[in-house]
Amino acid sequence: MNINAKYFGSVSYEESDSIHIINGLIGFESHTDYLPIPFQDEDDSLISLQCLDDETLSFILMNPFGIFPDYAPTLSMQDLRELGADSVEDISYYVISVIRDSVAESTVNLKAPLVVNALNRKAKQVILDQPEYTFRHTLGDMTQKED
């Protein structure tokens, strides 16, 4: 199959490459099937999450552990069941990013990560019950804390 991806043009993919987001993303509940496209081959640090039924809709995802090594999201047993995961080892986390002209002003949403079961390609956006995470963490603030 092919899709005209927002950031990549024509992209060929197999159905098994797509992920299904249970209940869609917040604000985009009617869109549930996406193709994750890494910006660099075999690297999940920056991904375009391309909607399969609306070629104009794509989200930029980041692997949160590369920018915030202490990130420690806690999932409920219900979330794990919905994702069909036997353990947290089957789970990958991605955070939605808003990229600005200045990388330091760009933000990531650590409060509501996209949680993906890598084995069955089911995903879900969860809102963490952890007050240390917010919907807008500025990348510039995060890199200053690490220095």
Side-chain angles (χ1 to χ4, degrees), residues 86-97:
D86 293 326
S87 72
V88 292
E89 284 77 34
D90 299 338
I91 299 296
S92 297
Y93 294 88
Y94 298 94
V95 291
I96 296 177
S97 310

Side-chain angles (χ1 to χ4, degrees), residues 64-80:
F65 304 103
I67 53 173
F68 194 62
D70 295 334
Y71 190 55
T74 303
L75 291 181
S76 70
M77 289 307 293
Q78 179 180 340
D79 290 329
L80 287 173

